[in-house]
Amino acid sequence: MPEDPEVNQNRFGTGVGNNTQRRLGNVNDQSKCACSCGCITAEDPRFAELKSYIDSLNQEQGITMPVLQEAQRSFGYLPLEVQKFISENTGVPLAEIYGVATFYSQFAIEPKGRHHIGVCMGTACYVKGSQKVLDKLVEELKVKVGCTTSDGKFTLEATRCLGCCGLAPCIMIDDDVFGKLDDVSRIPDILGKYE
Amino acid sequence: MMTMVDLNGLKAKALEEMESEGTLRVVVGMATCGQSAGARRVMETLKKDVAELGLDNVNVAVTGCVGMCTYEPILEVLEPGKKKVTYIRMDPEKTARVVKEHLQGGKPVLDYTVGHDHAGNLKNLEDLQFYAKQERIVLRNCGTIDPENIHEYIARDGYAALRKALLEMTPETVIDEMKKSGLRGRGGAGFPTGLKWGFAAPNKADQKYIICNADEGDPGAFMDRSVLEGDPHAVLEAMAIGGYAIGASKGYIYVRAEYPVAVERLKIAIGQAQEMGLLGRKIFGTDFSFDIEIRLGAGAFVCGEETALMASIEGERGEPRPRPPFPAVKGLFGRPTILNNVETYANVCQIILNGPEWFASMGTERSKGTKVFALGGKINNTGLVEVPDGHQAARDHLRNRRRACPHGKAFKAVQTGGPSGGCITAADLDTPIDFDNLVAIGSMMGSGGMIVMDEDNCMVDIARFFLDFTVDESCGKCTPCREGTKRMLEILDRIVAGEGTMQDLENLEDLAENIRLTSLCALGQTAPNPVMSTMKHFRDEYLAHVQDKKCPAGVCKALLGYVITADCKGCTKCKRVCPVEAITGEVKQLHVIDQALCIRCGACFNVCSFNAIARN
C-alpha cells in the first residue's frame, strides 16, 4: 500500500484519499500487488467488451447502473481500475461512480466467490428459522456472514426477501432458490452440488 | 403493423391450439417458487417420458404460479370437455407414473391429486376453499397461460384492451374510466390511479415517461413477482395504455435483481410484443408509439420509493427527493412521469375491457376491486390469495385458529405491511382489511404481505428485526431516519439483552413520534410503525423483558434459562444432545444443567420426552 499521498494523486488524478484506497484494497496497483486473486490488468479483454457495451448504450440516458451491472457481471466485482475505466468512458465523475457502487448492496468492491449464497432474511423466512439456516451455513463453510471462503468457492451473505415466502426458509445460490430448509441437515448436500 | 382482424385471427388460432379436441394440455407451474420446490426436474421427466412414449396428443407447457405454495410443484392436466386434474407435490417418480397411467392410459392417478371424494370424483384447485372464495383479476392468467408465449396471452383477450383504448377511446376517456373505476395504487399508499394519470396528462413536455415499479422490496410480499413471472404481457399492455393516456412514448420497468426469472420472462415478453408490433412504432396503425426498457435494481429497499427509484434509473444513488414537485409534474430526467406498481397495472386492462362499473362493483366503499395478499409465516396454507378489498383474507384462513398454525401452535398476530406496517391481533381480525381501516388500527396495507406469527414468536424480537432492516436500508440522506432509527435499534438491543429500563420505553415512543413526523420519505416516516404497533398490542411482552427480565416466547437468548424439573426420568437424552456438555447426571437419576456452561441453545428442551425441562 503506497503511503505517500503524492503517489495517490499521481495514480488517480481525482484525489482518492488513503482511506478510500484502504477500503478498496490494493487491486489498483499491479506492480505492488501481492494478492493471488488474479488481478485485473489493463490488457484484460473484458475492458474491450465493457467499452463496446458502453458504446452500445450511447443514445441512452442514465446508463451508470446498467454499465456497473454489466461490469460486475463480467469482472465479478468493481475494483477501482474498473470504476476508473467506466468513469473515463462515460464521462461520469469517478466520485459519482464510487458513490453509486457503494450505495447498492449488490455491487461489490472486493472480489467475491465463484458462487454467491444469499440466505433470505425476509420476515416469513425469519419467523420460520432462517437464523438457524444462516448459522448452519456459517458452520459448514467456516466463514463469517459477508465473507468468502478461503478457497474462493462461496460468498455467504444474508439477503433481502427473495419472494419465496411460501417456501420459507429459503436460500438462493447464484440464480437457484432452495426452499423449505427447516431441516438444516439438507444443506451439506446442496452445497455439494457446486464446484 | 397489426390491424383488428389480425388480433381476432390470432386469438382464434391460439384457442384452437390450446383446446383442440383430443389434445391433453399438461402445465407445470414454473415460477421461482415452483422451481425451487423441484418443478424443473418434474418438467424434464415429463418432456422425456412424453417423447419416449410418442404421445403426440400431449401438449406440454410452462405456466406461472397458481398461488398455492404449499402444494408446489403442481402439474395440471387439461382435457377439453373434462374437469381439470390437479396433481400436487410432484417429483420425477410421481411424474413418470402420471405420464404412463394418465396421459397414456387415460386414468388419473388418484393418489397424487389434490383430493377426491368417496366415489372417486376428483377435486381440483378450484374446489378448495382456499381458491373458491377468490376473485381473480390480477392473477387471472397466472398458472393458466404460458408466460413465454404471447399467443396464449392473446387467446385470453390479451392486447384487446390496448386495441380498444387506441381505436375506440381518447386519452381523456381512458383517464375518466380509470377515475370511475376507483382503482387505488397497490404499492402501499393507495393513491387513486386515475387521478394520478390525470395530473400528468395536461403537462406539456417533449417527452413523458411511464414507469412500472417492480422493486417489490417488502419482505413477505411476492404478488408482483408472481404476476411478472406468470403474466408479464398484462403489465406491458397496461403500461402502453398508460402511455397513451398521458402522452408518453417511453416506459421503464424497474425490477429488483433478486427476481431473475421475472427479468427473463419480461425480456422474452417485450421481445415478442415488439416483433408483433404491439410495442414500438405506430401501434395498431395509429400514431401512438410506445416502447419499454427494463432497468434492474441493485439491492436497495429505498428504491421502492418513487423519487428514489427515478434517481436510480437516472444512474444516481437511490436517494429520495422532497415532493413537490411531484413526478407527474417533474419526474424522471425532469419530465412528467407516472409511476405505478405491478399489481396496479395488472388491473388496468380488465378495467378497460369490462368497464369501470364492473370493477367498482367489487370491494369496499373506499377501496374498489380486489387485492392480492401474500400469506406466509406460521400458517399452513401459505400462498397468494386475491380477494375483494375489505374481504377478510386473513380471518378466513385463520378462522380455526388452532388449526391454522402448523404443529397446533396458538395464533398470536398477523403482521402486515412489512417494515412499514404493524400487527393485527386476534381482536382486530374482524376488521375489514382495506387501506383506511389498516391505518386506523396502527398498521398499513403495504403491498399486501401478511406474515402470521404464533406463540413462539417474540414481538419485541420482531420489532427489533424490522428496525434492523430499516437501519440497514436507510439511505442516509435525512437525519431523523439515519440517526433516529439507529438510536431506536440500540434501545431495542438493550431490551432484548435484558438491560432495558422503563425510561427506554418512553424514549422509544418519543423517538418514534419524531421520526414519523420529520423524515423525508415514507421509509423513515413509517419505520417506527412495527415498534409502535407491537408496543400498543403487546405491551406486556415489553414489560416482561424490561421488568421481569424474561422473554415469554422463549426467543431472546440472553433472557432464557433452562432448568430440569422433578419430572426428569434420567433417560440421558438431553445430556447426549447438549453441545457444550453442560448437563450432568446418571442413568435414571435427576439430571442437572450447569448454568455457567449453558449456552441456551434449547437443544435439551426440544428433545425431552417428559416435558421435564422448564424455560424461564
Side-chain angles (χ1 to χ4, degrees):
Chain A
M1 177 70 71
E3 286 300 328
D4 182 358
E6 277 296 302
V7 179
N8 280 338
Q9 277 303 330
N10 290 343
R11 272 204 70 79
F12 301 107
T14 45
V16 173
N18 259 340
N19 273 339
T20 310
Q21 208 185 26
R22 210 164 282 136
R23 248 178 293 145
L24 290 168
N26 203 6
V27 283
N28 46 51
D29 195 336
Q30 295 306 313
S31 58
K32 287 170 187 162
C33 181
C35 72
S36 57
C37 64
C39 278
I40 296 155
T41 61
E43 294 80 45
D44 195 308
R46 289 176 289 188
F47 279 115
E49 286 166 25
L50 188 58
K51 175 85 173 86
S52 57
Y53 179 76
I54 294 170
D55 291 344
S56 77
L57 297 178
N58 236 347
Q59 302 304 314
E60 302 282 339
Q61 282 179 291
I63 61 169
T64 312
M65 293 277 286
V67 170
L68 286 176
Q69 275 155 343
E70 173 62 18
Q72 165 118 343
R73 192 196 58 76
S74 164
F75 291 93
Y77 69 117
L78 301 170
L80 200 50
E81 286 292 292
V82 172
Q83 293 179 43
K84 204 179 155 207
F85 181 84
I86 293 171
S87 168
E88 281 162 3
N89 285 282
T90 58
V92 180
L94 182 58
E96 252 178 60
I97 299 274
Y98 179 74
V100 172
T102 49
F103 182 83
Y104 297 95
S105 65
Q106 283 183 352
F107 293 130
I109 300 291
E110 280 166 17
K112 287 197 173 187
R114 290 195 298 284
H115 302 291
H116 178 259
I117 307 179
V119 179
C120 179
M121 282 289 161
T123 326
C125 286
Y126 185 75
V127 302
K128 290 191 98 174
S130 58
Q131 187 62 47
K132 283 182 186 148
V133 174
L134 190 62
D135 292 347
K136 178 73 179 174
L137 281 162
V138 168
E139 180 194 320
E140 281 292 320
L141 299 171
K142 298 182 181 61
V143 67
K144 276 191 217 152
V145 180
C147 296
T148 304
T149 53
S150 53
D151 59 1
K153 193 165 159 186
F154 292 110
T155 298
L156 177 63
E157 267 167 11
T159 175
R160 292 289 171 238
C161 183
L162 298 175
C164 293
C165 312
L167 299 167
C170 64
I171 64 171
M172 186 160 172
I173 306 185
D174 300 334
D175 277 352
D176 293 320
V177 175
F178 299 89
K180 290 189 179 165
L181 291 172
D182 312 71
D183 178 11
V184 292
S185 64
R186 275 176 60 206
I187 287 171
D189 276 351
I190 292 172
L191 294 178
K193 288 181 194 159
Y194 289 85
E195 285 302 314
Chain B
M1 209 183 294
M2 299 259 297
T3 64
M4 248 151 133
V5 188
D6 281 330
L7 203 56
N8 287 337
L10 280 169
K11 182 183 165 184
K13 194 162 154 265
L15 273 176
E16 194 187 307
E17 265 171 40
M18 285 167 78
E19 293 172 2
S20 67
E21 199 66 34
T23 320
L24 287 176
R25 177 175 155 88
V26 185
V27 297
V28 180
M30 297 270 274
T32 305
C33 39
Q35 289 188 15
S36 64
R40 230 177 291 171
R41 289 189 304 143
V42 169
M43 193 57 158
E44 281 162 19
T45 314
L46 181 65
K47 278 190 176 158
K48 186 173 81 59
D49 287 12
V50 165
E52 273 176 14
L53 293 171
L55 304 174
D56 297 331
N57 63 330
V58 174
N59 174 358
V60 176
V62 166
T63 63
C65 160
V66 82
M68 307 191 69
C69 311
T70 25
Y71 292 142
E72 297 282 6
I74 297 175
L75 182 153
E76 292 191 302
V77 182
L78 296 95
E79 201 173 343
K82 282 195 184 171
K83 198 170 178 184
K84 182 168 75 176
V85 181
T86 307
Y87 292 106
I88 57 165
R89 299 198 179 108
M90 294 301 282
D91 61 30
E93 289 75 41
K94 288 179 177 176
T95 309
R97 209 181 132 192
V98 167
V99 173
K100 222 172 156 52
E101 292 181 22
H102 186 170
L103 303 186
Q104 193 183 31
K107 207 168 163 289
V109 188
L110 292 183
D111 301 352
Y112 306 153
T113 58
V114 74
H116 55 85
D117 60 21
H118 294 302
N121 293 320
L122 283 174
K123 284 185 186 170
N124 61 28
L125 289 182
E126 280 83 353
D127 297 328
L128 300 180
Q129 222 200 354
F130 183 87
Y131 207 106
K133 290 201 170 177
Q134 298 192 38
E135 197 74 57
R136 295 200 155 202
I137 300 172
V138 170
L139 300 175
R140 62 190 281 273
N141 287 332
C142 290
T144 308
I145 64 163
D146 181 347
E148 297 181 7
N149 183 348
I150 190 171
H151 296 282
E152 295 203 355
Y153 179 66
I154 291 172
R156 302 265 292 171
D157 289 326
Y159 290 100
L162 179 59
R163 183 186 59 186
K164 184 177 172 188
L166 292 189
L167 300 180
E168 300 168 22
M169 298 164 83
T170 63
E172 293 74 33
T173 48
V174 172
I175 292 173
D176 270 352
E177 302 243 310
M178 295 309 293
K179 281 183 187 164
K180 269 190 243 160
S181 74
L183 174 66
R184 292 172 70 171
R186 300 297 195 240
F191 193 81
T193 307
L195 208 55
K196 201 192 244 185
W197 289 13
F199 289 150
N203 294 323
K204 298 265 176 290
D206 55 338
Q207 175 77 59
K208 296 183 193 176
Y209 296 101
I210 284 279
I211 299 178
C212 173
N213 183 349
D215 192 48
E216 185 178 46
D218 260 12
F222 53 99
M223 60 290 289
D224 293 353
R225 174 181 65 73
S226 194
V227 170
L228 295 175
E229 290 179 355
D231 197 12
H233 285 287
V235 176
L236 305 184
E237 187 185 351
M239 287 176 70
I241 293 171
Y244 174 68
I246 70 157
S249 61
K250 173 103 192 165
Y252 287 97
I253 303 186
Y254 188 89
V255 196
R256 66 199 290 248
E258 284 91 339
Y259 289 174
V261 178
V263 173
E264 197 48 45
R265 298 223 168 121
L266 275 173
K267 278 185 188 158
I268 293 171
I270 291 174
Q272 288 175 341
Q274 285 170 338
E275 205 171 287
M276 297 184 69
L278 295 166
L279 283 178
R281 296 190 58 72
K282 296 195 176 293
I283 300 168
F284 287 117
T286 63
D287 283 337
F288 175 65
S289 302
F290 190 76
D291 226 329
I292 295 176
E293 198 180 314
I294 300 175
R295 285 295 173 91
L296 292 185
F301 177 70
V302 69
C303 288
E305 200 279 340
E306 58 180 8
T307 57
L309 188 151
M310 289 186 292
S312 186
I313 293 180
E314 287 170 6
E316 290 168 17
R317 293 161 69 94
E319 288 173 355
R321 23 179 198 248
R323 296 172 302 182
F326 285 92
V329 179
K330 200 173 171 211
L332 187 65
F333 303 116
R335 308 297 201 291
T337 303
I338 284 301
L339 191 142
N340 288 119
N341 159 275
V342 173
E343 195 187 331
T344 316
Y345 282 123
N347 282 299
V348 170
C349 301
Q350 294 306 307
I351 294 174
I352 297 292
L353 282 180
N354 300 319
E357 294 79 16
W358 162 80
F359 190 81
S361 69
M362 287 175 282
T364 61
E365 200 192 332
R366 298 185 58 195
S367 302
K368 300 300 182 189
T370 61
K371 173 81 191 89
V372 185
F373 292 98
L375 299 175
K378 303 279 186 67
I379 182 169
N380 285 322
N381 282 325
T382 55
L384 290 180
V385 288
E386 181 173 354
V387 286
D389 267 349
H391 190 104
Q392 296 150 29
R395 196 190 59 170
D396 269 9
H397 290 272
L398 292 165
R399 182 176 293 133
N400 190 335
R401 281 162 208 164
R402 261 287 152 195
R403 265 178 34 210
C405 299
H407 312 300
K409 298 274 183 185
F411 165 81
K412 191 183 238 177
V414 186
Q415 209 277 346
T416 65
S420 326
C423 296
I424 308 175
T425 58
D428 283 329
L429 268 187
D430 294 327
T431 312
I433 294 167
D434 69 14
F435 291 105
D436 309 304
N437 284 336
L438 280 182
V439 172
I441 60 171
S443 183
M444 70 181 264
M445 181 93 90
S447 40
M450 286 195 169
I451 309 289
V452 177
M453 321 258 176
D454 68 10
E455 55 186 305
D456 283 351
N457 293 117
C458 166
M459 299 318 280
V460 185
D461 178 64
I462 293 294
R464 203 205 72 88
F465 164 78
F466 280 121
L467 216 52
D468 191 45
F469 181 97
T470 20
V471 167
D472 210 36
E473 292 296 348
S474 171
C475 76
K477 182 167 178 167
C478 74
T479 319
C481 174
R482 183 184 65 239
E483 302 295 334
T485 55
K486 176 86 179 145
R487 297 290 91 78
M488 284 180 76
L489 180 64
E490 285 166 1
I491 295 177
L492 284 171
D493 274 336
R494 279 204 298 276
I495 294 176
V496 298
E499 294 157 9
T501 62
M502 291 305 284
Q503 182 61 44
D504 279 338
L505 295 185
E506 256 176 59
N507 290 351
L508 267 183
E509 278 172 338
D510 196 35
L511 275 167
E513 189 58 15
N514 279 314
I515 294 168
R516 189 177 70 77
L517 290 172
T518 57
S519 291
L520 174 62
C521 81
L523 191 151
Q525 287 157 13
T526 59
N529 281 358
V531 181
M532 296 306 287
S533 165
T534 48
M535 277 181 90
K536 182 175 158 202
H537 296 298
F538 299 95
R539 198 167 178 90
D540 53 331
E541 286 196 31
Y542 278 88
L543 292 178
H545 282 74
V546 171
Q547 291 177 327
D548 310 336
K549 309 292 175 205
K550 279 189 176 133
C551 174
V555 173
C556 303
K557 279 191 176 173
L559 301 178
L560 282 186
Y562 292 92
V563 286
I564 299 177
T565 65
D567 292 332
C568 177
K569 302 277 185 279
C571 73
T572 75
K573 218 173 181 178
C574 56
K575 190 173 153 184
R576 279 177 280 143
V577 297
C578 179
V580 289
E581 297 180 8
I583 302 180
T584 48
E586 295 303 314
V587 183
K588 295 190 179 173
Q589 303 276 315
L590 183 73
H591 282 45
V592 182
I593 300 175
D594 182 340
Q595 296 299 335
L597 290 176
C598 177
I599 56 166
R600 296 164 179 109
C601 68
C604 53
F605 183 83
N606 291 332
V607 298
C608 182
S609 316
F610 304 99
N611 286 331
I613 294 177
R615 199 164 60 184
N616 57 37

Coordinates of all heavy atoms in Angstrom, one line a residue, chain B residues 493-499 549 551 555-561 599-600:
Chain B
D493 N -32.0 -3.3 21.3 CA -31.0 -4.2 21.5 C -30.7 -4.4 23.0 O -30.5 -5.5 23.5 CB -29.7 -3.8 20.9 CG -29.5 -4.2 19.4 OD1 -30.2 -5.2 19.1 OD2 -28.8 -3.5 18.7
R494 N -30.8 -3.3 23.7 CA -30.7 -3.3 25.2 C -31.8 -4.1 25.8 O -31.6 -4.9 26.7 CB -30.7 -1.9 25.8 CG -29.3 -1.2 25.7 CD -29.2 -0.1 26.8 NE -30.2 0.9 26.7 CZ -30.1 2.0 25.9 NH1 -29.0 2.1 25.1 NH2 -31.0 3.0 25.9
I495 N -33.0 -3.9 25.3 CA -34.2 -4.6 25.9 C -34.1 -6.1 25.7 O -34.3 -6.9 26.7 CB -35.5 -4.0 25.3 CG1 -35.7 -2.6 25.7 CG2 -36.7 -4.8 25.8 CD1 -36.9 -1.9 25.1
V496 N -33.8 -6.5 24.5 CA -33.7 -8.0 24.3 C -32.5 -8.6 25.0 O -32.5 -9.8 25.3 CB -33.7 -8.4 22.8 CG1 -34.9 -8.0 22.1 CG2 -32.5 -7.9 22.1
A497 N -31.5 -7.8 25.4 CA -30.4 -8.3 26.1 C -30.7 -8.3 27.6 O -29.8 -8.7 28.4 CB -29.2 -7.4 25.8
G498 N -31.9 -7.8 28.0 CA -32.2 -7.8 29.4 C -31.7 -6.6 30.2 O -31.6 -6.6 31.4
E499 N -31.3 -5.5 29.4 CA -30.7 -4.3 30.1 C -31.6 -3.1 29.9 O -31.2 -2.0 30.1 CB -29.3 -4.0 29.5 CG -28.3 -5.1 29.8 CD -27.1 -5.1 28.8 OE1 -27.1 -4.2 28.0 OE2 -26.3 -6.1 28.8
K549 N -37.2 -9.3 33.2 CA -36.1 -9.8 32.5 C -36.4 -11.2 32.0 O -35.6 -12.2 32.2 CB -34.8 -9.9 33.4 CG -34.5 -8.6 34.1 CD -34.0 -7.5 33.2 CE -33.8 -6.2 33.9 NZ -34.0 -5.0 32.9
C551 N -38.3 -13.4 28.6 CA -38.9 -13.4 27.2 C -39.9 -14.5 27.2 O -39.6 -15.7 27.1 CB -37.8 -13.7 26.2 SG -38.5 -13.8 24.5
V555 N -37.5 -16.6 22.9 CA -36.7 -16.3 21.8 C -35.4 -15.6 22.1 O -34.3 -15.9 21.7 CB -37.5 -15.5 20.7 CG1 -36.6 -15.0 19.6 CG2 -38.7 -16.3 20.2
C556 N -35.5 -14.6 23.0 CA -34.4 -13.7 23.3 C -33.4 -14.5 24.2 O -33.7 -14.7 25.4 CB -34.8 -12.4 24.0 SG -36.0 -11.5 22.9
K557 N -32.3 -14.9 23.6 CA -31.4 -15.8 24.3 C -30.9 -15.3 25.6 O -30.7 -16.1 26.6 CB -30.2 -16.2 23.4 CG -30.6 -17.2 22.4 CD -29.4 -17.8 21.6 CE -29.9 -18.9 20.7 NZ -28.9 -19.4 19.9
A558 N -30.6 -14.0 25.7 CA -30.0 -13.5 26.9 C -30.9 -13.6 28.1 O -30.5 -13.6 29.2 CB -29.6 -12.1 26.7
L559 N -32.2 -13.7 27.8 CA -33.2 -13.8 28.9 C -33.7 -15.2 29.2 O -34.6 -15.4 30.0 CB -34.4 -12.9 28.5 CG -34.1 -11.5 28.3 CD1 -35.3 -10.7 27.9 CD2 -33.5 -10.8 29.5
L560 N -33.1 -16.1 28.6 CA -33.5 -17.5 28.7 C -32.7 -18.3 29.8 O -31.5 -18.0 29.9 CB -33.4 -18.3 27.4 CG -34.5 -18.0 26.4 CD1 -34.3 -18.9 25.2 CD2 -35.9 -18.2 27.0
G561 N -33.3 -19.2 30.4 CA -32.6 -20.1 31.3 C -33.4 -21.4 31.2 O -34.6 -21.5 31.1
I599 N -25.4 -22.6 27.0 CA -25.4 -21.5 26.0 C -26.8 -21.2 25.6 O -27.1 -20.5 24.6 CB -24.5 -21.9 24.8 CG1 -25.0 -23.2 24.2 CG2 -23.0 -21.9 25.1 CD1 -24.4 -23.5 22.8
R600 N -27.8 -21.8 26.2 CA -29.2 -21.6 26.0 C -29.6 -21.8 24.5 O -30.4 -21.0 23.9 CB -29.5 -20.1 26.3 CG -29.3 -19.9 27.8 CD -29.3 -18.4 28.2 NE -29.1 -18.3 29.6 CZ -27.9 -17.9 30.2 NH1 -26.9 -17.6 29.4 NH2 -27.9 -17.8 31.5

